[in-house]
Amino acid sequence: MNLRAASVLVLDDDPDILTAVRLLLKTQVREVTVERRPEALPGLLAARAFDVILLDMNYHSAINTGNEGFFWLRRIKELGSAAAVIMITAYADIDLAVRALKEGAADFVVKPWHNDKLLSTIQDALRPLGGAEAGKAAAVPARAGGAPNLLGSAPTMQQIFRTIEKVAPTDANVLVLGENGTGKDLVAQAVHRASARAAGPFVKVDVGALTPSLFESELFGHKKGAFTDAREDRAGRFEAAQGGTLFLDEIGNLGLAQQAKLLTVLQNRQVTRLGANQPTAVDIRLICATNVPLSELADERRFRKDLLYRINTVELLVPPLRSRPADIAGLARHFAAQYAAKYHRPAPTLSPAALRRLEQYAWPGNVRELQYTIERAVIMADTAELQPEDLHFSQLEPTPAAAAEVADNLTLSAVERNAILRVIEKHGGNITRAAQELGLTRTALYRRLNKHAL
C-alpha cells in the first residue's frame, strides 16, 4: 500500500509526541488519529479500520518494563485488527525490541526518532510481505524502468549504468560502495529490476543495525520453541528473498562472528533456522552495500577477506555528488517537480543564481542532502522561481568545503577545485584534453587532483 493511502493510529501518553507525529503525518497519509489513553483502543478499532498503529510501550513514567505495550499489542491481535503495529519507546532496550518483534509487531522505533526514518518504517510496514512467514522483510514490488531518482549524465554515472546493464542479467554478487547519501540502495534496486529476478521480491536488510542477538533470527529465521517467546515458526530474510534479490546494506558494520555465519550460508546456499536441524536451500541474488572504503574493508582485523571475495564478484562505486557537479541542476529540477506534486504546488523553476549556489556547495550529505534542501525550498518559497535565499544547507555535516557554500565567500582553493571539475566533466573525463584547456601539463593536473582529493 502507498503511504498516502494509509490510515494511521498513534497511541502515546505524551501530548508533545502526539502533536509532533500528527503534524508530520497529516501531509503524508490519508488519515491520522491520535489518542493518549490506551483504554480507548477497543472503541477506536470497533469504529474504523487502521492500516498502521504506532503503539507506545509505557504509559506511566515510573514503569518502564514495556508490559503495558505488550498487553495492548496482544489486545490488538485479539480484536482481529489487521493493522501493522510499530512499537515505540523512549528506552533503547534491545530485549524489548526482540520481544516486540517475536510477539507480532511489524517493527520497533526508539524516541526521539528522525522523521524520515519513521516515515520509512511506516512505509515498510505497509508493504505486502513476501509470504505467510516472511516476517518483517521489506519486499519492494518490482517494476521495469530502473530505480527512481537514479539519475545522472556525468561520465562516472554513465559507467555505472553500463555496468548495471552488463551485470544485471547474471546472478553475480554485487558490492555497492559509496558515501552516505549517494544512492547505493537505488543502485541495488536498479540491478534487481533489470535482472531475470525482477518479478521476485527485493528484500532489504540493514545488517549494521542488527545486534548479535537478532542477527540469526532475522536473517535465518527460527522454529517454534527455539527460544523464549518463539511461539511460531518464522522465516528469515534469506527465505523471504527466495527467487529474488537480498540486499544487505551497511555490511561493513558486521562483526567478525556474524561475518563467519553469513559466509557459511553463502557458501552452502542453505539456511538453518534457529531450533531446526534440517537446512533449507535458498535461491537468491546477493547485493551488498557499505560506506566503508574498500581499502579499509580489506583489513582482516575488520572484515574477513574470504567473505569480501564472496560478495565482491562485481564492484560498483557510486560517486559523491561533489565529483559530478554537472548533474546537480538536473537532480535539483527533478526533486523540485517531485515535491511540487507531493505538496500540490506549481512546479518551480530555479534561477541561474540559485543553480550557481547549488553547484558551488560541497554537498557532504550527497544526493540525499540535495533532495532535502530542494524539498524545504519548495515548501518555504514565496515565488514560482527558486532564488539563492530559498536554499538553506544542512549544518549536520560541517566540513571545510561546506563553509564555502556561498559564492562570495569561496576560497581560492575551492574556485580552483570547481574549475577543474567542470573542465573534466566537459571533456568526459579525458585528462589530456582537460589539462590542455586548463593550460597545465598532465602531471600538474594530477597533482591538483590529488591536492583536492578528486
Side-chain angles (χ1 to χ4, degrees):
M1 175 186 290
N2 186 277
L3 185 63
R4 296 192 67 83
S7 175
V8 180
L9 170 63
V10 187
L11 282 162
D12 195 297
D13 61 348
D14 186 335
D16 292 334
I17 290 291
L18 293 180
T19 300
V21 176
R22 182 175 57 80
L23 291 174
L24 170 66
L25 294 183
K26 71 176 184 177
T27 61
Q28 304 290 331
V29 302
R30 175 174 58 84
E31 178 185 36
V32 56
T33 303
V34 297
E35 176 57 57
R36 291 185 61 182
R37 300 174 302 105
E39 296 82 9
L41 184 58
L44 290 168
L45 294 181
R48 70 186 75 179
F50 295 96
D51 301 304
V52 175
I53 299 175
L54 295 175
L55 178 64
D56 191 17
M57 299 190 75
N58 296 295
Y59 292 88
H60 297 90
S61 58
I63 305 175
N64 300 320
T65 63
N67 286 333
E68 292 171 295
F70 293 124
F71 170 80
W72 290 110
L73 174 61
R74 289 191 291 270
R75 284 291 289 145
I76 290 170
K77 303 300 181 184
E78 292 167 1
L79 292 167
S81 173
V85 181
I86 298 172
M87 308 299 286
I88 54 179
T89 181
Y91 300 90
D93 188 327
I94 194 60
D95 292 332
L96 292 181
V98 174
R99 184 178 167 193
L101 297 175
K102 291 171 184 174
E103 293 203 8
D107 215 327
F108 181 98
V109 293
V110 178
K111 297 182 286 189
W113 52 69
H114 294 293
N115 286 344
D116 56 338
K117 173 62 177 174
L118 180 60
L119 292 174
S120 174
T121 300
I122 295 173
Q123 180 64 79
D124 286 346
L126 289 167
R127 287 176 177 141
L129 301 181
E133 294 181 331
K136 65 190 189 81
V140 180
R143 64 177 186 268
N149 302 351
L150 187 60
L151 308 172
S153 59
T156 48
M157 290 302 295
Q158 292 303 307
Q159 180 59 47
I160 285 178
F161 298 150
R162 286 191 292 270
T163 304
I164 289 173
E165 288 178 4
K166 291 179 180 179
V167 72
T170 74
D171 262 351
N173 294 336
V174 177
L175 177 62
V176 187
L177 302 166
E179 297 178 6
N180 286 331
T182 51
K184 297 186 292 295
D185 56 338
L186 296 179
V187 171
Q189 291 180 48
V191 173
H192 171 72
R193 288 169 179 161
S195 74
R197 297 174 176 269
F202 176 85
V203 178
K204 176 182 176 180
V205 188
D206 184 355
V207 292
L210 295 179
T211 63
S213 60
L214 278 174
F215 179 82
E216 288 189 75
S217 177
E218 283 299 303
L219 285 186
F220 311 142
H222 63 253
K223 297 289 288 183
K224 180 179 179 180
F227 44 77
T228 304
D229 292 330
R231 299 175 181 175
E232 58 185 1
D233 292 355
R234 181 175 182 272
R237 306 300 183 94
F238 271 88
E239 290 183 69
Q242 193 79 276
T245 300
L246 179 64
F247 176 41
L248 301 182
D249 198 11
E250 300 303 344
I251 197 167
N253 295 334
L254 269 186
L256 291 172
Q258 285 73 49
Q259 291 174 32
K261 295 172 183 175
L262 178 59
L263 178 62
T264 299
V265 170
L266 295 178
Q267 287 174 334
N268 299 330
R269 291 285 162 170
Q270 294 179 328
V271 294
T272 303
R273 296 186 187 183
L274 289 176
N277 295 319
Q278 295 298 320
T280 299
V282 289
D283 173 26
I284 57 118
R285 185 350 163 17
L286 181 70
I287 303 177
C288 300
T290 180
N291 61 4
V292 179
L294 195 60
S295 57
E296 293 183 27
L297 211 59
D299 183 349
E300 284 216 78
R301 293 171 297 179
R302 174 170 188 160
F303 204 87
R304 295 176 61 113
K305 279 192 176 179
D306 46 2
L307 177 58
L308 182 57
Y309 290 134
R310 176 72 59 173
I311 66 176
N312 191 24
T313 306
V314 177
E315 175 188 316
L316 283 168
L317 177 60
V318 187
L321 186 56
R322 63 182 174 275
S323 73
R324 49 187 185 108
D327 285 343
I328 291 174
L331 286 166
R333 293 188 182 100
H334 168 78
F335 291 132
Q338 174 183 315
Y339 286 111
K342 178 178 179 179
Y343 297 118
H344 309 289
R345 300 189 178 193
T349 58
L350 289 98
S351 70
L355 287 174
R356 283 195 300 273
R357 181 174 168 86
L358 291 174
E359 291 171 351
Q360 290 164 350
Y361 181 58
W363 299 112
N366 292 296
V367 178
R368 184 184 298 129
E369 185 182 0
L370 172 62
Q371 179 180 349
Y372 295 151
T373 298
I374 297 299
E375 180 181 15
R376 185 191 188 284
V378 169
I379 293 171
M380 301 300 294
D382 295 320
T383 65
E385 183 178 58
L386 299 183
Q387 301 296 330
E389 55 268 24
D390 295 319
L391 304 170
H392 297 270
F393 301 128
S394 171
Q395 301 301 315
L396 298 177
E397 303 180 58
T399 65
E405 64 186 68
V406 182
D408 290 343
N409 295 326
L410 282 175
T411 64
L412 182 60
S413 176
V415 171
E416 180 183 68
R417 183 181 188 280
N418 288 338
I420 290 172
L421 281 172
R422 282 195 294 271
V423 173
I424 290 176
E425 288 284 351
K426 176 182 175 181
H427 291 288
N430 188 307
I431 296 297
T432 299
R433 292 179 181 174
Q436 289 173 349
E437 179 167 332
L438 290 166
L440 301 170
T441 65
R442 282 172 56 90
T443 302
L445 179 52
Y446 276 121
R447 281 200 302 268
R448 283 166 172 78
L449 291 174
N450 185 62
K451 168 187 171 184
H452 296 295
L454 296 174

